[in-house]
Amino acid sequence: MKLIKLTAISAAVLASSVALAAEPVIVVDGNEAVVYEAEPVAVAYQAQPGYAYDADAGVVGNTLGGTKGFFKQVVNPASVSAEVGTLGYGANIGWSLNEKTELQAGWAGGDVADLFGGDFDANDINYDVDSDFSNPYLGVQLRPTGNWFTMGAGIIVPDNDFDVTANANGPNFRIDNVDYNASDVGTLSGTLEHRNKLAPYATIGFRPNITNNFGLFGELGAAYMGKTNATVTSSKANGPVRAESVDGPVLGVTGQDVADKAKQQLEDKNWLEWMPIVKVGATYRF
């Protein structure tokens, strides 16, 4: 009977110890005190996820990534730059694709003929040049070694006009070993335009950072502008022109005949078929 009573009391105590975290239980029966160790109670825990998704994890600041990131970064570019060079005076905006690659969109233009010396020779005729440049471009700027050294490539959409005026050599214009009297020809003037509507370019350069935000850059390279189209007119297009070759006088020559010969020489010259790119500038990084 004593054993049955003790067993019943023990069961009740153990049942009530569920709320106790394995604390020992003491049961007193008469003059005897018995100590019971409570068995560990199984507790259900909800496992915490081993990885929580972070939308910004691994994203480099000011880079283009995903639809939301794309539109955000389009209106928040990585850099803006001002430049001057053989393509003209201009500026560009840069967006970082990653830590070594930057997409650039820019424009350069204006009258930069003086950067080419302001004149050039096409065979025996010297021409003064005035220019009106417009060179929107889209390109990629790479830092292959992760430092100041850069490599660039892209496409220019050239709209460059050259106004040319021929300078007589003494009293004559000489074309293909024929001397045409300059006073009879009048003024020879015309235009040049490159044929390429899209001009690929490539550059190498340097872009050292001066501070966390400011930097300088310089680039050297070339753009393939293609062959040229020329127009040349004479201010005395229909007047007779005295002409002399090594074989004697040349008869029946008009001012426009001389202009047409000058036009052919200009197109054969292919002036600036490969447009040199030399530029320097400053960059502000956000």
Side-chain angles (χ1 to χ4, degrees), residues 234-258:
S234 166
S235 62
K236 298 181 179 180
N238 297 320
V241 175
R242 290 168 288 176
E244 189 80 23
S245 72
V246 293
D247 298 323
V250 179
L251 303 177
V253 178
T254 66
Q256 191 56 47
D257 292 332
V258 180

Side-chain angles (χ1 to χ4, degrees), residues 108-251:
D111 184 358
V112 295
D114 287 343
L115 295 174
F116 302 103
D119 68 321
F120 72 98
D121 294 325
N123 289 345
D124 296 316
I125 299 181
N126 177 264
Y127 290 88
D128 289 330
V129 182
D130 288 320
S131 63
D132 184 14
F133 276 18
S134 178
N135 290 299
Y137 62 88
L138 181 66
V140 176
Q141 195 72 227
L142 303 174
R143 293 178 183 261
T145 57
N147 58 14
W148 56 266
F149 174 71
T150 62
M151 299 176 64
I155 292 292
I156 300 171
V157 186
D159 185 14
N160 301 324
D161 295 324
F162 301 91
D163 294 327
V164 297
T165 303
N167 296 312
N169 183 11
N172 300 312
F173 290 108
R174 171 166 286 188
I175 303 175
D176 293 335
N177 295 318
V178 178
D179 290 324
Y180 301 94
N181 185 272
S183 62
D184 293 342
V185 173
T187 301
L188 287 178
S189 58
T191 62
L192 283 173
E193 184 177 8
H194 289 105
R195 296 175 187 175
N196 281 8
K197 301 305 179 184
L198 294 176
Y201 75 87
T203 62
I204 58 172
F206 64 95
R207 288 178 174 264
N209 294 323
I210 306 304
T211 68
N212 287 337
N213 298 106
F214 287 97
L216 302 176
F217 68 88
E219 292 181 39
L220 297 173
Y224 182 68
M225 296 291 184
K227 298 182 181 299
T228 55
N229 290 324
T231 62
V232 179
T233 59
S234 166
S235 62
K236 298 181 179 180
N238 297 320
V241 175
R242 290 168 288 176
E244 189 80 23
S245 72
V246 293
D247 298 323
V250 179
L251 303 177

Side-chain angles (χ1 to χ4, degrees), residues 35-46:
V35 179
Y36 295 89
E37 278 299 321
E39 293 295 326
V41 178
V43 180
Y45 293 92
Q46 182 174 359

Side-chain angles (χ1 to χ4, degrees), residues 7-20 25 27 36 38-39 41:
T7 302
I9 293 172
S10 300
V13 172
L14 291 174
S16 64
S17 65
V18 172
L20 301 176
V25 179
V27 179
Y36 295 89
E39 293 295 326
V41 178

Side-chain angles (χ1 to χ4, degrees), residues 36-89:
Y36 295 89
E37 278 299 321
E39 293 295 326
V41 178
V43 180
Y45 293 92
Q46 182 174 359
Q48 295 299 319
Y51 172 77
Y53 174 72
D54 181 1
D56 296 326
V59 176
V60 179
N62 284 5
T63 62
L64 302 176
T67 304
K68 182 177 180 180
F70 176 83
F71 288 108
K72 179 180 178 181
Q73 298 306 328
V74 163
V75 296
N76 294 282
S79 66
V80 293
S81 301
E83 65 182 58
V84 59
T86 52
L87 293 178
Y89 310 89

